[in-house]
Amino acid sequence: MTADTDVGGAGERASLGEERRTMSATVGSSGTHTAGPDLAARLDRVPVITPVHRRWIGLLGFLFVFDLVDLNSFAYAAPALRTEWGLSIGGVGAITSAGFVGMFVGAIVGGRLSDRFGRRPVLIGAVFLYSLFSLLSAFAPDPGTLGALRVLTGFGLQAMTGVLLVWVSEMFPRALRGRYQALLLAIGLAGVPIAAWVARAVVPLGDGAWRWIFVVGALGAVGGVVALRVLPESVRWCAAHGRTPDPRQVELVARMEEHAERITGAPLPEPVPDRPVVPGRLSELLRGATGRRTLVASVSCVFLILSFYGFSSWVPTLLVERGYTTAESLTFSSVLAIAAVPGALLAMPIVDRFERRSVLLAVQSLVAVFLLLFGLIDHPVAIVVCGFLAAMFMQTGVAVLYTYIAEVFPLHLRGLGSGVANGSGRLAGVVGGVLVAALYSGAGMVAVYVYLAIAALLLGVVMRLWGERTTNRRLEEIEHGIAPR
């Protein structure tokens, strides 16, 4: 029966929703600390995606788009910079590594700040930060200045990405959070072909045209302005810090409850408050069960970055080294970039259905095979097909791993824990940029792709052997080690 025909039922539910909002507002204004945990429990019982969630998806997806535009901008500008500035392969590697230095620091500092001061201000502040330094990158007069600006841009990029993933894990239904992490990543990954096709359109125009790629990356600031008005603080973060919920949070949760009851046609179950969050020490990340999770997540991120960015950041440059022109290289790279969106979408039907660690082993095995073929085969059509499939399955793996990392840490250390894991990967990216250049110079093209394939496979093996079971489990069950049902 539809909402249009069930007039009496809709009226009763509207009345119930009004009572719920009134009750919640009263609790929230009392000054006690019980409203925060109660609100988190109410949010956790919402079993479906509501219009409120969809608005968040649109906004966060927009922020992700320009995050990915900026993240990939230097890779597509690099062939032109080699010609205009006379950059060597080593120089490209140095600037690529500089960005990863910034991302390493941004992941850890952004995560820690989000644990202390809230997810919302850090997320939005990071958006404005990376947008500013992306714009300044467009005016860089020399490689040294551009490298310094890429450090600062990388800081903002990774601070935003890490906190955004944590925010989604805390504000979306448990049975669907993996699917919508994947959807957000898919939306954001539209930024990869955007960056590629912008580069394909502007770089051949002449000296200095590459600067427009960085200008496009700065448009993320538009989403930051919208987020100031639309994005609430995580209710779980408020609960963990004994904060009385903002009236807007209470209103949003009440609306989600009403929408969920309309969609399901049944009353929601009673909320089950979680045990109080007991603040712990930072040393928790390095000992016991949490220490093991930190190690597994960090090592997995290291292998992800070594394989993923070792491939995507170097494809345009290495194709030129294989004898293709800059225009041909950018055309091939643009086609491969299209694989990003279907790759993330491929994760949607499987990430919440099968155990995440098993999915990662299967996906990363496929990535390893196609990376090897990409490096060994020299036919243009085969290069495009194998590169497309490698890039597609890489993004599937990224969607699954990003979902996993935002689930396995205690709430009071979730931002920092995710930051340490992601930051470890970004730090590996510093070494990875130099390592690809050294491997190519010393052992040739094939050695580079053998190395990338091994790194991709090791990610899947580590996750399958030592990763946590997280699929369709409440965050609190994972945090407290409650056995899955």
Side-chain angles (χ1 to χ4, degrees):
M1 184 175 296
T2 66
D4 291 335
T5 58
D6 186 15
V7 177
E12 290 176 5
R13 284 191 293 273
S15 176
L16 178 62
E18 184 62 35
E19 291 177 7
R20 182 186 291 124
R21 283 193 295 271
T22 302
M23 179 182 68
S24 300
T26 301
V27 174
S29 64
S30 67
T32 68
H33 294 329
T34 60
D38 286 349
L39 198 61
R42 285 171 53 192
L43 178 68
D44 208 42
R45 67 182 179 151
V46 175
V48 295
I49 295 298
T50 69
V52 175
H53 290 106
R54 292 190 184 97
R55 283 194 290 274
W56 292 342
I57 290 168
L59 171 61
L60 297 175
F62 181 89
L63 296 179
F64 236 149
V65 164
F66 289 98
D67 178 287
L68 270 295
V69 168
D70 214 336
L71 190 60
N72 290 274
S73 56
F74 178 72
Y76 295 116
L81 287 172
R82 290 200 67 199
T83 300
E84 186 173 328
W85 285 350
L87 277 180
S88 64
I89 288 286
V92 172
I95 296 178
T96 300
S97 296
F100 282 109
V101 170
M103 286 187 274
F104 165 69
V105 179
I108 295 176
V109 173
R112 183 54 179 159
L113 290 177
S114 78
D115 285 335
R116 293 194 63 182
F117 301 109
R119 316 299 189 205
R120 180 180 182 273
V122 176
L123 193 161
I124 297 173
V127 171
F128 288 123
L129 192 68
Y130 82 67
S131 298
L132 171 64
F133 289 114
S134 179
L135 183 61
L136 292 177
S137 296
F139 299 95
D142 53 59
T145 303
L146 182 59
L149 289 169
R150 296 311 292 169
V151 171
L152 297 169
T153 305
F155 180 97
L157 288 172
Q158 192 55 45
M160 191 218 77
T161 299
V163 178
L164 186 152
L165 295 171
V166 167
W167 190 94
V168 172
S169 75
E170 294 179 348
M171 295 291 283
F172 277 65
R174 74 169 188 257
L176 299 171
R177 63 177 178 255
R179 187 176 308 175
Y180 283 90
Q181 292 273 30
L183 177 59
L184 277 171
L185 184 60
I187 295 171
L189 286 169
V192 180
I194 287 173
W197 287 102
V198 167
R200 180 65 184 89
V202 303
V203 168
L205 296 179
D207 289 352
W210 56 267
R211 299 177 186 274
W212 286 103
I213 305 173
F214 296 106
V215 174
V216 172
L219 294 177
V222 175
V225 173
V226 176
L228 286 170
R229 296 181 56 84
V230 172
L231 202 68
E233 183 56 86
S234 162
V235 298
R236 280 189 164 86
W237 183 88
C238 289
H241 289 77
R243 301 288 182 87
T244 299
D246 186 286
R248 291 175 297 177
Q249 291 177 303
V250 176
E251 173 68 18
L252 281 171
V253 173
R255 283 164 55 193
M256 285 189 278
E257 290 170 326
E258 289 178 48
H259 286 304
E261 288 176 348
R262 291 196 190 100
I263 293 168
T264 62
L268 297 177
E270 288 298 314
V272 181
D274 299 307
R275 69 179 70 181
V277 175
V278 180
R281 298 178 179 273
L282 297 181
S283 59
E284 280 184 51
L285 289 176
L286 303 176
R287 56 184 172 81
T290 303
R292 181 174 63 82
R293 295 174 183 182
T294 303
L295 179 62
V296 171
S298 298
V299 171
S300 298
C301 284
V302 166
F303 289 131
L304 171 70
I305 296 303
L306 290 179
S307 59
F308 184 93
Y309 286 107
F311 178 71
S312 61
S313 295
W314 282 93
V315 161
T317 300
L318 291 182
L319 284 175
V320 170
E321 295 299 311
R322 291 172 79 164
Y324 295 97
T325 66
T326 297
E328 289 172 334
S329 168
L330 289 172
T331 299
F332 281 17
S333 301
S334 300
V335 173
L336 301 189
I338 297 172
V341 175
L345 290 175
L346 182 61
M348 289 187 66
I350 59 176
V351 66
D352 288 319
R353 183 175 181 183
F354 303 105
E355 187 53 50
R356 311 211 204 285
R357 57 188 183 178
S358 299
V359 172
L360 275 167
L361 177 59
V363 167
Q364 292 302 121
S365 298
L366 291 171
V367 170
V369 169
F370 288 116
L371 282 175
L372 283 174
L373 292 174
F374 183 87
L376 293 172
I377 298 174
D378 200 37
H379 191 279
V381 175
I383 287 175
V384 171
V385 171
C386 293
F388 188 94
L389 291 172
M392 183 178 74
F393 287 117
M394 278 182 179
Q395 295 294 357
T396 305
V398 170
V400 178
L401 184 60
Y402 275 6
T403 300
Y404 172 89
I405 290 171
E407 296 171 323
V408 294
F409 295 102
L411 192 151
H412 61 284
L413 293 173
R414 188 166 293 142
L416 179 60
S418 298
V420 168
N422 278 298
S424 298
R426 308 304 168 176
L427 188 60
V430 177
V431 178
V434 177
L435 184 57
V436 169
L439 275 173
Y440 174 74
S441 300
M445 187 77 64
V446 173
V448 170
Y449 288 101
V450 169
Y451 146 72
L452 296 177
I454 291 173
L457 184 59
L458 286 175
L459 162 57
V461 171
V462 168
M463 281 298 304
R464 184 61 189 87
L465 293 179
W466 296 289
E468 291 285 325
R469 293 182 60 186
T470 64
T471 299
N472 202 18
R473 296 178 66 192
R474 298 178 66 232
L475 295 178
E476 291 74 20
E477 290 177 353
I478 299 169
E479 176 177 347
H480 299 299
I482 300 172
R485 299 172 184 172

